[in-house]
């Protein structure tokens, strides 16, 4: 007769879970044994920190659309999962977190690692329970999987260490064995017909339609292309939707927001109607002002309709099906001047970006090396980014091509996500090349996970932007509040040497004339590689158009900010001079 841990693992296998990310501990010894005896059916990927396990489970769910699973021991093992699980919650990724507990009869007695993880996880999880025995596990294991997938969020099972090894005792009379199927069911998510008609009327009537596409449109690329063509609509992409359409697509105007293009900002300011597809991009100031543009939004979650913009037509449904139905009602626009004007604007923006990407200055400009890195990424690549100035660099200077995938911590925007995301991509898609652009601040937080990439032979090329600064924070201190940069300097780490110490390969580049040679060598190398680019710490990160308040704050802050002369010299050169206004 199987014990509780075996029932859990067998249920996961039945739910088509093939990978679990985690770290062993005495609070989950029973589960580890069940995994050991079933390792031909389910893979355990050992990480160096439980936070990474949760990030990897979240990224795995984003990369594949399947259930991501992470496992941690009792007490601190479980609490370490929280950051990665909030990433799943905020970006609506289906993840199951499994945690151990102390012996069931010592709970709440101040014993070692006596943390009630169900209470701790009460905010992050949509399904959250402590498993009482093997018969209980038969019911809740499948329900946890179903809840995570159906609710696109976090489910949590907490299991006392001794309960894991118990076999089913006498069950309650209503708990009939095998009364639930090991699968979940989902309808076709058709939107309301009246809302479809209203949406079509709004979009057909407006002469200038813009589209904002997010991660929810990833599986609707063909339908989205058709919509954009019918409406002669320029498309702005939220960061999570960077791979929805390739960056060289004639309708794509780049990213939106502080990391985006000026063209995307312009089309939001000038459009008469906005179609939002699978996005709740959080920065409300970059949307059309309320009353300026009529709104249509497509989202599978009714709760998300109207979060950022006062939409008139809310289409609750699957993006691909909804766009297909909407397209049948749209009339091709004869006047394509709004799109054509946006395309001309984008050419001017790209020319500005090319100026930054081609600079031969010393210290090395980060745009130069990121552009060269992105140009070498093959068409079937997986690309991850971390959170910080490196995110802006990846968003603006790496052009996503057709067939490539991209992921990042979106709404949570957590540092230290980039390397775990990349590893999860390599685990999810064996054989596909994996790339990441990260910062020295975020990489240092989970640097040990590079050894995980080495252990599992992930074909990873990781570019770390090394400026020995928390650079995004520094510019935010200056732009947002007018405060001088403070406490953002970092103690330097030799990341290339660290890569070698962990069994990988490390390269370092400091001068523009060496960029191509170093990248060529790194891309030709087998196995995990860290490419350390030592760049100008005083290269500002600016929004596409500097708001007056930000400009005033920056000038005030510079008076007392270390490196003032170097920063002002950079601001006096293009394209930053134009962006400053």
């Amino acid at each position: 007769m199987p014990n509780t841990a075996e029932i859990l693992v067998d249920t996961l296998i039945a739910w088509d879970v093939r990978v679990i990310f985690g770290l062993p501990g005495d609070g989950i010894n029973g589960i580890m044994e069940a995994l050991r005896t079933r390792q031909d059916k389910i893979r355990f990927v050992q990480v160096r920190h439980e936070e990474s396990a949760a990030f990897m489970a979240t990224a795995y769910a984003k990369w594949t659309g399947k259930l991501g699973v992470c496992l941690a021991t009792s007490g601190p093992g479980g609490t370490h999962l929280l950051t990665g699980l909030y990433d799943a919650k905020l970006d609506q990724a289906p993840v199951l977190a499994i945690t151990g507990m102390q012996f069931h009869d010592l709970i709440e007695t101040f014993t070692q690692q006596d943390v009630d993880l169900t209470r701790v996880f009460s905010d992050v999880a949509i399904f959250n329970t402590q498993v009482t025995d093997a018969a209980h596990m038969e019911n809740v294991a499948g329900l946890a999987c179903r809840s995570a997938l159906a609710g696109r969020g976090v489910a949590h099972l907490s299991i006392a260490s001794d309960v894991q090894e118990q076999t089913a005792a006498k069950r309650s009379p209503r708990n009939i064995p095998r009364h639930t199927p090991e699968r979940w069911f989902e309808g076709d998510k058709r939107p309301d017909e009246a809302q479809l008609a209203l949406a079509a009327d709004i979009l057909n009537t407006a002469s200038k339609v813009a589209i904002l596409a997010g991660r929810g449109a990833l599986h609707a690329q063909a339908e989205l292309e058709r919509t954009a063509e019918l409406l002669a609509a320029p498309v702005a992409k939220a960061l999570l939707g960077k791979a929805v359409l390739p960056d060289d697509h004639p309708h794509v105007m780049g990213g939106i927001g502080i990391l985006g293009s000026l063209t995307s900002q312009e089309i939001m300011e000038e459009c008469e109607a906005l179609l939002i597809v699978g996005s709740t991009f959080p920065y409300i100031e970059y949307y059309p002002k309320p009353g300026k543009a009529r709104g249509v939004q497509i989202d599978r979650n009714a709760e998300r309709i109207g979060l950022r913009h006062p939409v008139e037509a809310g289409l609750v449904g699957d993006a691909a099906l909804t766009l297909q139905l909407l397209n049948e009602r749209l009339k091709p626009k004869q006047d394509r001047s709004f799109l054509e004007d946006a395309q001309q604007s984008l050419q001017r923006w790209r020319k500005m970006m090319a100026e930054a990407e081609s600079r031969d200055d010393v210290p090395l400009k980060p745009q130069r090396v990121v552009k060269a890195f992105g140009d070498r990424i093959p068409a079937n690549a997986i690309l991850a980014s971390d959170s910080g100035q490196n995110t802006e660099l990846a968003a603006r200077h790496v052009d996503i091509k057709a067939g490539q995938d991209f992921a990042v911590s979106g709404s949570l925007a957590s540092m230290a996500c980039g390397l775990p995301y990349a590893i999860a991509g390599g685990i999810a898609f064996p054989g596909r090349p994996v790339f990441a652009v990260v910062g020295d601040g975020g990489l240092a937080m989970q640097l040990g996970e590079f050894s995980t990439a080495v252990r599992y032979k992930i074909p990873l090329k990781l570019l770390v932007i090394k400026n020995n600064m928390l650079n995004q924070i520094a510019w935010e201190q200056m732009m947002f509040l007018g405060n001088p940069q403070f406490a953002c300097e970092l103690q330097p780490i030799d990341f290339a040497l660290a890569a070698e110490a962990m069994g990988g390969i490390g390269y370092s580049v400091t001068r523009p004339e060496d960029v191509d040679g170093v990248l060529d060598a790194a891309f030709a190398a087998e196995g995990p590689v860290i490419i350390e680019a030592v760049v100008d710490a005083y290269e500002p990160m600016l929004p596409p158009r500097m708001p007056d308040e930000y400009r005033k704050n920056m000038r005030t802050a510079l008076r007392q900010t270390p490196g003032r002369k170097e920063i002002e010299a950079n601001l006096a050169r293009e394209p930053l001079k134009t962006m400053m206004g």
Side-chain angles (χ1 to χ4, degrees):
M1 183 177 295
N3 64 29
T4 306
E6 291 168 333
I7 292 169
L8 169 63
V9 176
D10 287 340
T11 301
L12 295 179
I13 293 169
W15 277 83
D16 198 33
V17 173
R18 294 292 176 259
V19 181
I20 296 179
F21 302 94
L23 190 64
D26 61 1
I28 51 173
N29 277 340
I31 298 171
M32 293 304 302
E33 175 61 11
L35 289 170
R36 184 190 70 82
T37 57
R38 289 159 176 78
Q39 56 188 300
D40 59 328
K41 298 178 181 177
I42 191 166
R43 185 182 187 189
F44 179 74
V45 173
Q46 184 209 82
V47 302
R48 304 305 290 259
H49 194 294
E50 290 92 351
E51 180 179 290
S52 292
F55 274 134
M56 290 180 195
T58 300
Y60 185 90
K62 289 182 180 180
W63 293 125
T64 66
K66 298 179 179 179
L67 182 67
V69 182
C70 54
L71 172 65
T73 191
S74 56
T79 59
H80 281 160
L81 294 175
L82 279 172
T83 300
L85 295 181
Y86 271 102
D87 187 31
K89 174 184 177 176
L90 296 185
D91 282 350
Q92 302 179 82
V95 170
L96 171 62
I98 304 164
T99 60
M101 294 178 67
Q102 60 284 351
F103 293 115
H104 82 280
D105 54 355
L106 292 177
I107 294 172
E108 302 290 358
T109 65
F110 306 106
T111 190
Q112 188 178 36
Q113 296 190 342
D114 195 358
V115 178
D116 184 348
L117 292 173
T118 55
R119 192 181 306 165
V120 171
F121 283 29
S122 62
D123 179 64
V124 77
I126 58 176
F127 180 88
N128 182 21
T129 194
Q130 178 184 336
V131 180
T132 58
D133 58 24
H136 190 210
M137 179 65 84
E138 289 182 11
N139 297 330
V140 297
L143 181 56
C145 296
R146 185 179 296 110
S147 299
L149 288 163
R152 303 181 71 81
V154 176
H156 172 230
L157 296 174
S158 188
I159 314 136
S161 57
D162 53 331
V163 170
Q164 294 169 29
E165 301 186 53
Q166 292 176 358
T167 55
K170 183 179 180 181
R171 63 178 65 233
S172 62
R174 289 183 178 174
N175 188 14
I176 298 172
R178 297 183 297 279
H179 69 267
T180 60
E182 300 299 359
R183 56 170 299 190
W184 74 298
F185 303 87
E186 186 177 31
D188 63 4
K189 298 278 187 180
R190 297 177 69 87
D192 178 77
E193 286 291 327
Q195 291 296 305
L196 264 176
L198 176 58
D201 180 66
I202 292 170
L203 298 173
N204 284 328
T205 303
S207 60
K208 298 178 179 180
V209 180
I211 296 174
L212 171 59
R215 193 170 68 91
L218 279 174
H219 69 294
Q221 295 177 354
E223 293 82 1
L224 181 63
E225 280 188 287
R226 178 61 178 158
T227 305
E229 178 62 26
L230 286 168
L231 295 172
V235 179
K237 298 188 296 185
L239 186 60
L240 285 174
K242 186 171 174 64
V244 167
L245 294 174
D247 281 314
D248 62 357
H249 192 282
H251 284 268
V252 169
M253 300 299 126
I256 186 173
I258 195 169
L259 310 179
S261 72
L262 179 58
T263 306
S264 288
Q265 187 168 337
E266 290 172 343
I267 65 173
M268 291 294 157
E269 294 168 349
E270 298 168 10
C271 67
E272 296 175 1
L274 173 64
L275 172 60
I276 305 169
V277 185
S279 177
T280 49
F281 169 72
Y283 296 99
I284 298 172
E285 63 269 28
Y286 286 94
Y287 288 80
K289 288 182 171 57
K292 174 68 171 60
R294 304 181 74 183
V296 176
Q297 185 172 354
I298 300 171
D299 203 291
R300 64 186 296 133
N301 186 348
E303 184 182 32
R304 300 243 163 182
I305 300 286
L307 269 183
R308 315 293 185 212
H309 184 74
V311 300
E312 296 179 47
L315 304 179
V316 181
D318 173 78
L321 175 61
T322 302
L323 286 172
Q324 179 184 335
L325 296 172
L326 182 61
N327 289 342
E328 295 171 1
R329 299 169 181 256
L330 295 179
K331 300 173 183 177
K333 292 200 181 296
Q334 302 305 311
D335 182 357
R336 306 179 69 83
S337 59
F338 184 53
L339 172 63
E340 292 165 355
D341 289 347
Q343 290 169 335
Q344 292 177 11
S345 169
L346 183 64
Q347 291 306 310
R348 293 191 293 270
W349 172 259
R350 284 189 170 276
K351 184 178 179 181
M352 288 173 58
M353 294 300 99
E355 288 187 66
E357 294 161 354
S358 60
R359 294 268 294 276
D360 288 328
D361 302 48
V362 178
L364 176 64
K365 296 299 181 184
Q367 300 93 328
R368 171 72 182 269
V369 68
V370 172
K371 174 63 174 175
F373 182 82
D375 285 347
R376 286 168 167 77
I377 296 176
N380 64 334
I382 297 166
L383 173 66
S385 179
D386 212 296
S387 296
Q389 188 179 27
N390 65 90
T391 322
E392 175 248 351
L393 293 165
R396 285 182 175 167
H397 303 286
V398 176
D399 286 338
I400 284 289
K401 309 176 185 72
Q404 293 178 342
D405 288 308
F406 174 81
V408 69
S409 173
S411 295
L412 188 65
S414 174
M415 293 174 66
C417 69
L419 178 53
Y421 265 56
I423 293 170
I427 296 293
F429 300 113
R432 288 182 65 180
V434 183
F435 302 86
V437 178
V438 303
D440 48 359
L443 180 58
M445 290 181 176
Q446 294 290 358
L447 181 58
E449 296 302 345
F450 187 75
S451 69
T452 305
V454 172
R455 176 175 185 166
Y456 293 102
K457 299 180 172 59
I458 306 298
L460 170 64
K461 305 297 181 286
L462 184 146
L463 175 65
V464 53
I465 304 302
K466 180 178 173 179
N467 46 31
N468 302 318
M469 288 277 289
L470 296 171
N471 233 14
Q472 180 170 338
I473 304 303
W475 302 118
E476 288 175 348
Q477 288 177 350
M478 289 186 270
M479 288 191 299
F480 292 175
L481 296 175
N483 296 330
Q485 180 274 115
F486 175 69
C488 293
E489 301 93 342
L490 298 173
Q491 177 66 23
I493 295 174
D494 189 330
F495 293 102
L497 187 60
E500 301 281 351
M502 286 184 275
I505 300 171
Y507 291 91
S508 184
V509 59
T510 61
R511 300 185 63 83
E513 63 266 25
D514 297 329
V515 167
D516 290 334
V518 169
L519 290 179
D520 287 344
F523 274 58
E526 293 187 6
V529 177
I530 288 180
I531 306 153
E532 175 190 84
V534 183
V535 303
D536 186 357
Y538 302 113
E539 181 73 7
M541 186 191 80
L542 301 182
R545 181 193 294 140
M546 197 74 156
D548 290 339
E549 183 181 359
Y550 285 11
R551 187 185 304 108
K552 179 181 177 181
N553 288 342
M554 176 81 84
R555 295 300 184 193
T556 300
L558 276 175
R559 296 169 189 163
Q560 300 180 61
T561 291
R564 171 185 177 180
K565 290 177 59 176
E566 291 84 354
I567 294 170
E568 289 182 334
N570 283 328
L571 289 172
R573 301 188 185 101
E574 295 294 352
L576 296 177
K577 181 178 179 180
T578 297
M579 294 169 72
M580 275 289 286

